[in-house]
Amino acid sequence: MSTSSRKKLYIQEVSVRDGFQIEPRFIPTEQKIELINALSRTGLAKIEVTSFTSPKAIPNLADAEAVMSQIDRVDGVIYAALVPNVRGCERALACNVDEINLFMSASHTHNLANLRMTQAQSLEQFRQVVDYIDGRAAINASLSTAFGCPFDGEVPEATVLDLVQRYIDMGIQAVSLCDTTGVANPAQVARLCDTVKQRWPDLILTAHFHDTRAMGLANVLAALHAGVDRFDASLGGLGGCPFAPGASGNVCTEDMVHMLDAMGYDTGVDLTRLLEISRLLPEIVGHDVPGQVAKAGPYTRRYPVPDAVRNI
């Protein structure tokens, strides 16, 4: 496939927010900054740096202001932050974030468990934040449990589409469909993503998958074939929702980039550099991480020919 014909994809890193928020130990601020600065130079399109939530709710991200204020800003990289309300938005804007990521759940019970609010209350929070931002930063709205809920089970497609429409009615032009607990399957992903793309062709759509049941990369391909070109992923496969039982890590960034590169897509990401950074993760977090390519090497890796074969 020639370079001119390669489809451009946008890889968006969430490990330092989604990954670090549930780690059993606090990752020092300096290490977070060093990691983000390294990731910024790999060609990633976006990095979700932190979350401006209550430090009591997520102690691991209590240093949000320090991290966002001290990272290097690399041209072409969007630096985003998750915010739950206007107060969080105030803090994020004071640190000059490029994008505010709002979030709520497609399922009633998960929204109560995660945010202690009804969906109607969450939508009202969205309206307040959108009004407060008033064009000072880009806005993305994430819809958790879009493919299923650990409490309520199946989430009707009509519910997801209704909430996306409500986002759009507020003036939000970028939406993430999130498989928060890794229950999605490729056929389901293809149907929902195709429906959303067909109904709102100008919507900036991101797919966010977890690999809880080993279907993460398959779901990426299903979304890709449905027209999605933006994907969240987490270095080393770190992450998981603290309010979703059994929700293990996100799709691994380097594994996803490796797959897409091998298929001829243009991710814009330097896989060699990304793998070098990923191999530092176990020391940073104090345990092994799920990513596979950092351990096995890329498909282009070659080994010395054994002497017994060479001498034949």
Side-chain angles (χ1 to χ4, degrees), residues 25-210:
R25 70 182 191 184
F26 181 81
I27 308 303
T29 302
E30 294 75 15
Q31 284 192 311
K32 290 173 183 168
I33 293 169
E34 289 175 4
L35 180 60
I36 293 165
N37 289 345
L39 289 169
S40 292
R41 292 168 172 83
T42 63
L44 292 163
K46 182 192 298 184
I47 300 175
E48 191 172 64
V49 173
T50 189
S51 176
F52 287 89
T53 54
S54 165
K56 293 180 180 179
I58 305 182
N60 281 1
L61 302 181
D63 55 358
E65 278 89 353
V67 174
M68 184 62 79
S69 299
Q70 295 178 42
I71 56 172
D72 296 338
R73 302 292 182 101
V74 174
D75 288 345
V77 180
I78 296 170
Y79 296 94
L82 198 72
V83 304
N85 49 38
V86 170
R87 174 59 187 138
C89 187
E90 291 174 352
R91 294 169 57 202
L93 290 179
C95 297
N96 297 314
V97 299
D98 298 319
E99 180 180 275
I100 297 293
N101 189 14
L102 302 173
F103 61 104
M104 64 172 289
S105 302
S107 64
H108 171 74
T109 304
H110 188 265
N111 207 67
L112 291 174
N114 194 24
L115 297 173
R116 302 295 190 267
M117 286 190 284
T118 66
Q119 290 166 310
Q121 290 171 323
S122 286
L123 288 169
E124 179 56 32
Q125 289 270 23
F126 276 35
R127 291 188 187 93
Q128 293 175 14
V129 172
V130 170
D131 289 344
Y132 180 80
I133 292 174
D134 193 26
R136 288 178 289 171
I139 303 173
N140 183 86
S142 290
L143 189 57
S144 302
T145 64
F147 299 93
C149 172
F151 307 109
D152 298 338
E154 181 181 355
V155 175
E157 183 177 284
T159 299
V160 175
L161 298 178
D162 175 65
L163 289 169
V164 172
Q165 182 64 63
R166 289 172 182 266
Y167 291 173
I168 293 170
D169 291 343
M170 293 181 207
I172 296 170
Q173 300 175 343
V175 172
S176 297
L177 297 179
C178 305
D179 182 27
T180 312
T181 58
V183 298
N185 66 73
Q188 176 193 22
V189 168
R191 285 193 303 270
L192 181 57
C193 290
D194 182 67
T195 298
V196 171
K197 291 293 292 183
Q198 292 291 331
R199 185 169 298 189
W200 300 288
D202 296 328
L203 182 69
I204 300 171
L205 183 62
T206 292
H208 176 111
F209 298 115
H210 286 236

Side-chain angles (χ1 to χ4, degrees), residues 147-148 177-194 206-232 249-251 256 259-260:
F147 299 93
L177 297 179
C178 305
D179 182 27
T180 312
T181 58
V183 298
N185 66 73
Q188 176 193 22
V189 168
R191 285 193 303 270
L192 181 57
C193 290
D194 182 67
T206 292
H208 176 111
F209 298 115
H210 286 236
D211 202 35
T212 312
R213 294 168 180 83
M215 289 191 282
L217 290 180
N219 288 331
V220 167
L221 289 182
L224 178 61
H225 293 154
V228 177
D229 61 4
R230 297 170 189 271
F231 297 92
D232 286 347
N250 296 262
V251 169
M256 183 173 73
M259 177 186 73
L260 295 171

